[in-house]
Amino acid sequence: MNTVQYKRWFLALCAFLLLVAGGPGGLVGTALAEGKIQLGVTVGIEGKYRETGMVPVVVTVKNGGADVEGELYVATGERGNNQFAVANYQPVSIASGATKQVTILVPGQELHNSSYVALMQNNTIIAKTPVTGRLYSEDTLMIGVLAENRDTANFLGALPKGSIHNDVQVLSMKAENVPATGTQLRMIDMLVINNFALDSLNEQQIKAIRDWTKSGGMLILAGGAQYKKWSGVLADLSPVEVTGVTSVQTLASLKVDKTNPIELTSPFTVSNGTLKTGKALYSEGNIPLMAVHNVGDGKVLYVAYDLAAEPVASWAGNSRFWSDTLIKAFGSSINDSKTRMYDRIWPLRDAADRIPSLRIPEVSWFALFFGIYALIAGPVLFYLLRRKRKQSYMWVIVPVLSVVAGIGIFSIGAIQRGSGVKVHQVGVIQLQNNGQANTASVTAFFVPRNDDYRLTLKGEGMTEPLFELNQHDEVPKIWISMQPDQTNIDFRDVEFWSMRKVATEQSLSDVGKIESNLAYENGALKGTVTNNTKFPLRDVTISSGMQVQEIPQLAVGSSIEVNLPFTPQQQARQNRRWQNMAHALPQHMQSNGYQTETREQVMVEMLEMMDRSSGQSEVVKLVGWTDTPVVEAVVQNESVEHNSIAMVTSALQVTPSKDGHIYYPTGTFDVTMSGSSVPVDDFGDGYRLPAGDITFDINLDQEGQDLTVNNLYLYTWSEDNTTFEKEVYNWKTKAFEPFEKAFMNNVMTSDKTATYISGDGMVRIKFAHQFEDHRHIGYPNVSVEGKVSKK
């Protein structure tokens, strides 16, 4: 055979090897069944989705061939070169000639243009199609609408810029777009229910709306004469107790300005009722037209009319009116930027690596071991063999001794790691005052051998594997299946002595709450705090600003006495934020320094992240630690060693003293960016803006209470120490005035409140600078001394 033939054979062999290696996983075949299996894909809602939250991928499978049983999956987590990290899948069985629709939930941040949907049978892809849809950034305000008329809330998509600076997308939803859990509904920020029959939803979907609202969602309940379509199941969420239907002759309270009123040519139908909680925003006589109240961490806005009813629906001022109304109703929640779960939990991701039983041996022991080895392998062995005149044995004994030492080191490591799987879970539990809790956790497991492993996480919520860059292939090695009550994650071909991690966010019900009976009296915060949760707590701290009280143990059902000194003038400062976080550490760790961070030292950084969005950390808060797992984690068919730790947080309610006096610390009041003359960039704890001005509204309204302000303490700050010009709005003259007219040494006294605090408890402050470059302005920090009475 000549040289040319050898080259041809060699090139053919190389081409064959490349072809085999280029198949999915190098081993998994691809046999696309053209014309037999057809896949149709719809992503998100109306093909739109956001990179935060769980995105529904609806797959329609038409089977024109033989019966098929396999896995339908969405490949996500693409990092280039047609390689993917995760297969989000559901097992499917499709008879010949049948059509089936399957919904697979996928983290929006991991969907890319290269993501695909495939049907796999016996490790062979028999059908495949790309995922298409329109991705929106995390800053987009996503508004879902459940309504009989799909055009009901289109005016919300045309809100004028200014007070609402985020882009707005209105999504017309159907019953099948409502997921089964509240966590999975987080793809949207606001949900409008108007003239929509909620009995078309199942119990899980109704519960999802409730849980989503209580966890921070913005819910609008409307419908006018059709109010019964929602009141049958969500009446308890409404601030108004609806009693029937009536009509009004005028809508004079719904106005933007005097030049553009709503003109009624006939009676206008509205639902009628009485305000049972919260605050009425607009009324006609005794009829509340709009009212809002807090439900957990979320808010519910009641609207007494059908949003699609004329002449309001086509009113020229409708979008401007709703822009103002949404700010009044939902405050800073409107402009909140949502972050991806991966970015929200990175301290937990890092803390999960620190498995207590996998501590690295002390360096001193290694030094001693290698010192003894060097002594024996060197001078000791040389001396003994020289005395016996057997120096040549060194060529055999030293290598053998090295092998024995290496086996010894490996054996010590193997004994330390054990023969079973080590599961380590770290988490944060944010208790609400309604018996619920929002949780975030990372579950890590360390494996002793190369194998396939299945991790099952119990409960409903949002689950996402945290993968490394080298865990990619065309057919992914991480397979995740979300069920209503649990999530299964299959890790295939896991290397021995390696770790895998999974992040989870859940809303827990019926976990109890921290009961507090606290009041400010004689320069101190005094009272009792009781642990009425299911979590036994240790290393507990109760803090108000820089004042901290430490409690070693707070068992379930037990109470402690609180006595914290306080000074109203002492504002929470941005540069004190980490000091406040450090107070949450167990006492024995506070003096250890930070040369080697413990898992607890990493975990407390979650507190800073949770407070950073408001830039305020003076609210009276309890932080404790529990060894109770946040999520039940099971590694199937394995011997498992479990270890868990969670940080439990709860804001503590402070009641007025006997004579009605009270102090509201920084963080109590909602601060909203209500307008700007220039485009601004949201930085979480404030904004950056070019030369121009920005306005903040500070809402002092306390639901169910009338507040008389004695002293209002204000602290303003800039990350780059820019000196901003400040003005305060005079509600009597309807104009801004110099800051110094309202505040002296950053304190507004009671004689100024009638002028600079509106009738519904609003303070408006404008900041301006004239520098050429962008400058930072933080959210103003406000605390109040005053007296309250029941409304």
Side-chain angles (χ1 to χ4, degrees):
M1 188 177 293
N2 58 33
T3 304
V4 174
Q5 288 177 314
Y6 276 121
K7 289 182 178 180
R8 288 175 178 172
W9 278 104
F10 178 74
L11 291 173
L13 178 62
C14 290
F16 173 75
L17 293 174
L18 287 171
L19 182 63
V20 172
L27 295 174
V28 182
T30 302
L32 300 184
E34 287 292 336
K36 295 183 179 180
I37 300 291
Q38 297 182 3
L39 302 177
V41 180
T42 302
V43 182
I45 302 171
E46 298 182 318
K48 301 174 181 178
Y49 66 97
R50 191 173 60 181
E51 61 186 359
T52 54
M54 300 298 290
V55 176
V57 178
V58 181
V59 185
T60 303
V61 186
K62 293 183 179 180
N63 184 7
D67 294 352
V68 173
E69 188 167 347
E71 293 85 29
L72 186 68
Y73 72 90
V74 183
T76 63
E78 197 269 342
R79 291 297 185 271
N81 299 322
N82 199 31
Q83 294 184 332
F84 300 85
V86 181
N88 306 267
Y89 80 99
Q90 292 291 344
V92 292
S93 179
I94 310 168
S96 176
T99 298
K100 180 170 286 190
Q101 190 174 86
V102 179
T103 299
I104 301 174
L105 292 166
V106 178
Q109 70 191 56
E110 296 302 334
L111 275 175
H112 302 278
N113 292 333
S114 56
S115 297
Y116 65 86
V117 175
L119 179 61
M120 178 176 284
Q121 185 178 35
N122 299 324
N123 287 332
T124 299
I125 296 176
I126 61 174
K128 181 178 178 180
T129 191
V131 172
T132 58
R134 186 168 181 182
L135 170 66
Y136 290 88
S137 74
E138 60 189 25
D139 294 329
T140 305
L141 179 65
M142 302 291 271
I143 302 176
V145 180
L146 287 170
E148 185 177 81
N149 182 346
R150 62 177 289 112
D151 297 324
T152 290
N154 285 352
F155 59 86
L156 293 176
L159 297 177
K161 295 293 182 181
S163 56
I164 298 177
H165 65 272
N166 290 337
D167 291 333
V168 178
Q169 282 297 319
V170 178
L171 309 175
S172 179
M173 298 174 62
K174 300 177 182 178
E176 56 264 30
N177 297 133
V178 180
T181 72
T183 310
Q184 295 165 8
L185 193 56
R186 290 185 186 175
M187 194 190 84
I188 64 172
D189 302 296
M190 186 185 302
L191 179 62
V192 179
I193 300 176
N194 182 88
N195 191 13
F196 180 84
L198 285 183
D199 57 10
S200 62
L201 305 181
N202 59 42
E203 291 184 4
Q204 285 185 327
Q205 291 174 308
I206 296 295
K207 183 177 182 297
I209 294 175
R210 289 180 176 278
D211 292 345
W212 167 83
T213 303
K214 294 176 181 178
S215 297
M218 296 176 281
L219 178 65
I220 297 178
L221 298 174
Q226 305 299 323
Y227 75 92
K228 289 185 178 180
K229 289 186 177 181
W230 57 259
S231 66
V233 290
L234 294 180
D236 59 307
L237 296 185
S238 172
V240 173
E241 184 176 353
V242 185
T243 55
V245 176
T246 186
S247 61
V248 294
Q249 303 297 322
T250 177
L251 293 173
S253 61
L254 306 186
K255 60 184 178 181
V256 176
D257 53 48
K258 297 179 180 179
T259 62
N260 197 12
I262 302 175
E263 296 182 358
L264 296 183
T265 57
S266 61
F268 186 73
T269 301
V270 297
S271 53
N272 192 15
T274 56
L275 186 70
K276 60 182 181 180
T277 184
K279 174 182 179 181
L281 301 181
Y282 307 100
S283 300
E284 286 295 330
N286 294 324
I287 302 172
L289 296 181
M290 290 188 178
V292 66
H293 79 130
N294 300 323
V295 178
D297 280 350
K299 291 178 180 289
V300 178
L301 174 64
Y302 161 86
V303 182
Y305 60 89
D306 188 336
L307 299 180
E310 296 294 353
V312 178
S314 58
W315 173 38
N318 206 19
S319 291
R320 176 59 188 276
F321 167 77
W322 271 91
S323 176
D324 295 342
T325 298
L326 293 180
I327 290 294
K328 286 183 179 180
F330 299 127
S332 58
S333 300
I334 287 292
N335 290 321
D336 276 353
S337 294
K338 304 301 184 291
T339 57
R340 302 174 298 174
M341 182 164 69
Y342 185 87
D343 297 326
R344 291 193 298 270
I345 53 85
W346 67 261
L348 299 181
R349 179 198 66 197
D350 293 348
D353 290 332
R354 294 161 165 79
I355 300 179
S357 58
L358 286 181
R359 291 193 181 98
I360 297 175
E362 296 290 337
V363 175
S364 58
W365 285 105
F366 275 115
L368 179 62
F369 179 86
F370 283 110
I372 295 173
Y373 167 75
L375 185 64
I376 294 174
V380 172
L381 191 59
F382 179 80
Y383 174 76
L384 293 175
L385 292 178
R386 185 179 181 183
R387 286 190 62 185
K388 300 292 184 180
R389 299 180 182 276
K390 303 291 185 181
Q391 292 96 325
S392 60
Y393 284 16
M394 291 278 288
W395 295 100
V396 176
I397 296 176
V398 171
V400 170
L401 189 62
S402 300
V403 171
V404 171
I407 293 174
I409 294 172
F410 179 85
S411 300
I412 292 172
I415 291 171
Q416 182 192 28
R417 285 161 173 76
S419 59
V421 174
K422 295 180 182 295
V423 173
H424 181 223
Q425 186 181 106
V426 296
V428 174
I429 302 170
Q430 293 178 273
L431 296 171
Q432 313 300 313
N433 60 8
N434 57 3
Q436 284 193 305
N438 295 332
T439 70
S441 62
V442 172
T443 302
F445 68 97
F446 180 87
V447 301
R449 65 185 183 279
N450 180 275
D451 207 340
D452 295 342
Y453 295 87
R454 166 170 283 195
L455 175 67
T456 298
L457 297 174
K458 304 292 185 178
E460 59 187 36
M462 185 162 61
T463 300
E464 185 177 332
L466 304 177
F467 45 83
E468 305 299 333
L469 293 178
N470 60 352
Q471 296 172 19
H472 294 74
D473 210 336
E474 184 174 353
V475 174
K477 292 185 178 180
I478 304 175
W479 287 62
I480 178 169
S481 175
M482 297 187 67
Q483 307 300 325
D485 58 346
Q486 67 180 32
T487 300
N488 297 319
I489 308 102
D490 295 312
F491 294 90
R492 301 180 178 180
D493 195 22
V494 180
E495 305 87 353
F496 81 101
W497 286 9
S498 64
M499 188 184 297
R500 296 294 184 268
K501 290 181 285 189
V502 177
T504 305
E505 289 186 342
Q506 292 184 351
S507 293
L508 303 181
S509 301
D510 302 324
V511 297
K513 59 182 179 178
I514 301 292
E515 302 276 2
S516 59
N517 181 17
L518 302 174
Y520 290 106
E521 293 182 1
N522 301 321
L525 175 66
K526 297 181 180 181
T528 60
V529 169
T530 304
N531 181 5
N532 283 333
T533 74
K534 66 177 186 179
F535 306 109
L537 301 177
R538 56 175 172 81
D539 299 305
V540 177
T541 58
I542 295 176
S543 62
S544 177
M546 298 300 294
Q547 303 297 328
V548 180
Q549 181 173 333
E550 298 178 346
I551 302 100
Q553 300 285 338
L554 189 59
V556 173
S558 64
S559 301
I560 52 97
E561 293 289 332
V562 176
N563 189 347
L564 277 175
F566 86 104
T567 304
Q569 293 86 348
Q570 226 179 15
Q571 298 289 304
R573 301 293 199 267
Q574 288 302 112
N575 59 6
R576 291 181 181 175
R577 192 164 52 203
W578 170 246
Q579 296 178 42
N580 292 334
M581 301 308 104
H583 290 321
L585 282 171
Q587 188 174 15
H588 68 278
M589 293 184 179
Q590 294 183 19
S591 59
N592 285 346
Y594 293 90
Q595 289 80 11
T596 302
E597 286 188 313
T598 65
R599 60 177 179 175
E600 288 85 352
Q601 286 171 326
V602 177
M603 289 174 67
V604 295
E605 295 184 42
M606 287 290 294
L607 291 175
E608 182 179 11
M609 295 181 65
M610 289 186 289
D611 285 339
R612 185 173 177 81
S613 61
S614 63
Q616 301 161 351
S617 56
E618 198 185 334
V619 170
V620 182
K621 183 183 300 181
L622 177 144
V623 179
W625 301 84
T626 183
D627 298 321
T628 304
V630 176
V631 182
E632 182 183 352
V634 178
V635 181
Q636 304 289 342
N637 305 317
E638 294 289 339
S639 173
V640 177
E641 174 190 321
H642 286 276
N643 188 284
S644 64
I645 186 171
M647 183 171 58
V648 180
T649 71
S650 176
L652 301 181
Q653 292 184 320
V654 179
T655 58
S657 61
K658 294 179 181 179
D659 60 358
H661 281 86
I662 193 167
Y663 169 71
Y664 290 110
T666 296
T668 303
F669 308 109
D670 189 61
V671 181
T672 305
M673 195 282 283
S674 57
S676 64
S677 63
V678 292
V680 299
D681 296 322
D682 188 347
F683 269 68
D685 57 1
Y687 297 90
R688 297 190 73 88
L689 66 153
D693 61 66
I694 184 171
T695 303
F696 291 100
D697 280 358
I698 303 162
N699 186 2
L700 304 181
D701 181 72
Q702 294 297 294
E703 191 168 303
Q705 294 180 330
D706 278 323
L707 171 63
T708 301
V709 177
N710 294 338
N711 291 300
L712 187 151
Y713 304 96
L714 178 71
Y715 170 65
T716 61
W717 62 283
S718 169
E719 194 173 69
D720 44 34
N721 296 319
T722 299
T723 301
F724 280 79
E725 298 176 2
K726 291 179 285 189
E727 294 180 301
V728 184
Y729 192 74
N730 184 321
W731 296 95
K732 292 183 177 180
T733 63
K734 307 297 183 184
F736 281 97
E737 295 181 351
F739 181 80
E740 292 73 18
K741 289 191 67 175
F743 288 87
M744 179 177 293
N745 297 324
N746 291 325
V747 180
M748 180 191 295
T749 52
S750 58
D751 57 313
K752 303 290 182 65
T753 56
T755 302
Y756 299 104
I757 299 178
S758 70
D760 55 357
M762 198 72 69
V763 178
R764 180 168 294 168
I765 302 178
K766 181 187 292 185
F767 296 82
H769 80 84
Q770 300 302 321
F771 297 96
E772 294 181 359
D773 56 340
H774 283 66
R775 296 301 178 96
H776 176 270
I777 181 67
Y779 280 102
N781 290 351
V782 176
S783 59
V784 167
E785 273 187 298
K787 190 172 183 177
V788 298
S789 58
K790 292 289 184 181
K791 288 185 178 179

